[in-house]
Amino acid sequence: MSIEFRNESFRDDFTYRNSPAAIKRFPFPFAEDEYMYSVNIEPHTPGRPGSVFEHAFDVDEHYVSEMRDRAMVLAEDPLRCQSLPHMTLAGWDLLELIMESKARDYPDLFTLTKNGNRWHWINRPLGIDQKFTFLDETTLPYGPMEYITRQAQGDFTLQDQRDDDLWMEAGMVTTQADWSLDFDIGMRFHEWHAPVPRAHQLGVFDRALKFLLKLQHGAPVRRFNWTMTVDPLLDTSPENYPKWGPSRASLTPENIGRRMHLRVELQTLFRLPRSNAIAFPIRCYLISFDELVTVPKWARRLHRVIKTIPEDLATYKGFQRNRELMVNYLAQHDDGAPTSPGW
Ligand code: HEM
């Protein structure tokens, strides 16, 4: 099935919207009426046709516009993409993984032809036709990680594994929920997670790291994370906080349904074959409250989650100041009916 790509903006006039089909496949992340951090990791196996899990790397109607937004962020701030010198091989691993996956899963959009190390990549939505030599950086316009992540939705970090730890040592990060690659690069697993409340005490990070150190090639896993964003802004970075931070103070009962967005991250983890690094794609999906409440069971559940979430989590996620407004809006869409666990 071919995708109709939307021409939309994630800044200024914010013309980003979800089509009815995109709302239907939105990855609503809550399995219960309450939320707490956990090691919510499951195998990243192909899901229902049409779902965001159908393929290893989901391509949707926002693809072309998201890639345009990424190019704009990079033009303003090249440090959003960094790769320490020893991570180049992991970059090639990632390029291979994404090219092979996309060419296999979306043959009408992407084609990869190999003749030994001489590869030919065609990306039709972005109008790219590139011949290059695999593992030879001089044959691409950018390093391998930058080249392929300029053509793939979501952020990406690459972690080297040594000393029984994971080290964030490369990444393309332009659509992040208020953290900085430039700040975190060179840190290890517990260090870059230091600002997260409660999860350290709950043992979430100890267990997650132990699990990830044993991640096998060919057996990727996934998890969800979520937060809230005012306006469909992809680049909620600390670097640009002065531009977007004040928008949190501009919500009203009249505009909250249109402007407040649930921001869901589908995070996947892949062991890479040559470098033994771990790739961590973080794919961001945005849905406005007005769009979300068109699905009554989501509206009910989100109301209960936001109402009951502990204050330190709401503060960390940046919506404590707007919580009452959010709960009041969502309460109009919660008839009190019971919800079933697990969907
Ligand atoms: C938050 C990176 C894997 C759980 C974060 C943050 C970063 C990050 C940069 C933001 C921290 C800040 O506030 O500055 C990564 C990377 C991973 C990884 C690169 C893989 C190598 C995991 C795993 C889990 C996890 C496997 C749990 C099972 C969390 C949680 C938060 C978080 C609970 C707080 C999110 C929120 O409330 O919005 N992670 N993470 N992370 N991470 Fe990870």
Side-chain angles (χ1 to χ4, degrees):
M1 182 189 69
S2 208
I3 303 165
E4 202 168 309
F5 297 109
R6 293 175 51 84
N7 182 8
E8 60 195 354
S9 62
F10 300 88
R11 54 180 73 208
D12 305 323
D13 55 351
F14 292 113
T15 58
Y16 171 91
R17 302 283 179 278
N18 287 296
S19 68
I23 294 176
K24 214 170 146 202
R25 75 196 293 275
F26 189 84
F28 188 74
F30 303 109
E32 293 173 344
D33 288 352
E34 291 182 355
Y35 178 79
M36 180 41 66
Y37 294 138
S38 63
V39 186
N40 53 336
I41 297 177
E42 61 178 1
H44 187 39
T45 45
R48 244 188 6 260
S51 74
V52 300
F53 306 127
E54 182 179 4
H55 302 307
F57 294 90
D58 181 42
V59 176
D60 69 10
E61 63 186 16
H62 308 297
Y63 175 56
V64 174
S65 297
E66 271 188 56
M67 294 301 94
R68 188 172 54 217
D69 195 75
R70 163 154 295 158
M72 289 159 89
V73 174
L74 288 169
E76 279 172 18
D77 183 359
L79 290 179
R80 301 303 188 81
C81 180
Q82 299 188 41
S83 178
L84 301 187
H86 62 284
M87 297 304 281
T88 304
L89 185 61
W92 284 111
D93 277 333
L94 182 69
L95 175 144
E96 175 188 56
L97 174 67
I98 296 176
M99 285 187 178
E100 286 186 345
S101 302
K102 287 192 167 181
R104 179 191 64 227
D105 297 335
Y106 301 92
D108 53 333
L109 306 180
F110 307 96
T111 307
L112 178 65
T113 318
K114 296 182 187 175
N115 181 4
N117 268 0
R118 304 186 74 80
W119 291 20
H120 183 189
W121 168 246
I122 300 174
N123 177 335
R124 289 181 196 85
L126 297 185
I128 293 171
D129 185 316
Q130 178 82 44
K131 292 188 173 129
F132 64 100
T133 305
F134 187 67
L135 298 177
D136 180 353
E137 267 193 274
T138 62
T139 59
L140 282 177
Y142 306 101
M145 179 193 71
E146 178 166 359
Y147 180 75
I148 197 56
T149 57
R150 280 177 176 266
Q151 302 178 45
Q153 285 168 278
D155 284 340
F156 293 82
T157 62
L158 295 175
Q159 283 63 228
D160 193 29
Q161 180 164 330
R162 58 180 188 274
D163 303 334
D164 283 336
D165 215 328
L166 294 173
W167 303 74
M168 192 192 290
E169 291 179 328
M172 168 66 91
V173 179
T174 66
T175 70
Q176 71 273 49
D178 203 6
W179 66 276
S180 163
L181 173 70
D182 193 41
F183 184 72
D184 283 2
I185 196 156
M187 287 190 188
R188 41 171 101 188
F189 194 81
H190 282 70
E191 284 175 342
W192 76 64
H193 279 121
V196 182
R198 291 193 190 217
H200 294 268
Q201 295 82 337
L202 290 169
V204 165
F205 292 125
D206 289 339
R207 290 200 299 282
L209 176 60
K210 207 168 159 188
F211 179 87
L212 292 183
L213 292 175
K214 297 201 174 87
L215 188 68
Q216 297 291 308
H217 176 235
V221 296
R222 65 181 172 231
R223 66 182 296 269
F224 279 123
N225 186 43
W226 66 277
T227 187
M228 294 285 165
T229 303
V230 178
D231 299 323
L233 183 66
L234 284 176
D235 175 25
T236 48
S237 56
E239 285 87 343
N240 274 338
Y241 187 80
K243 290 189 191 163
W244 59 268
S247 65
R248 289 175 173 168
S250 62
L251 291 181
T252 64
E254 290 71 41
N255 68 23
I256 189 161
R258 181 172 50 82
R259 295 191 61 196
M260 187 56 108
H261 287 69
L262 173 63
R263 182 186 191 104
V264 175
E265 293 177 350
L266 170 57
Q267 307 179 337
T268 46
L269 293 131
F270 296 82
R271 175 71 68 189
L272 299 176
R274 296 173 190 77
S275 58
N276 198 42
I278 288 185
F280 186 59
I282 311 156
R283 176 62 193 280
C284 169
Y285 295 86
L286 289 164
I287 189 168
S288 71
F289 274 21
D290 279 348
E291 291 172 341
L292 186 141
V293 299
T294 61
V295 181
K297 65 179 182 179
W298 292 353
R300 259 183 227 125
R301 179 154 283 170
L302 188 64
H303 171 235
R304 298 169 196 184
V305 167
I306 300 301
K307 202 171 164 179
T308 56
I309 195 168
E311 189 174 329
D312 49 352
L313 267 70
T315 302
Y316 173 72
K317 289 175 183 287
F319 64 82
Q320 178 59 24
R321 70 173 297 156
N322 288 310
R323 186 168 169 168
E324 204 181 312
L325 272 178
M326 294 157 71
V327 170
N328 290 343
Y329 172 91
L330 293 167
Q332 305 166 63
H333 302 275
D334 184 353
D335 56 8
T339 58
S340 42
W343 46 262

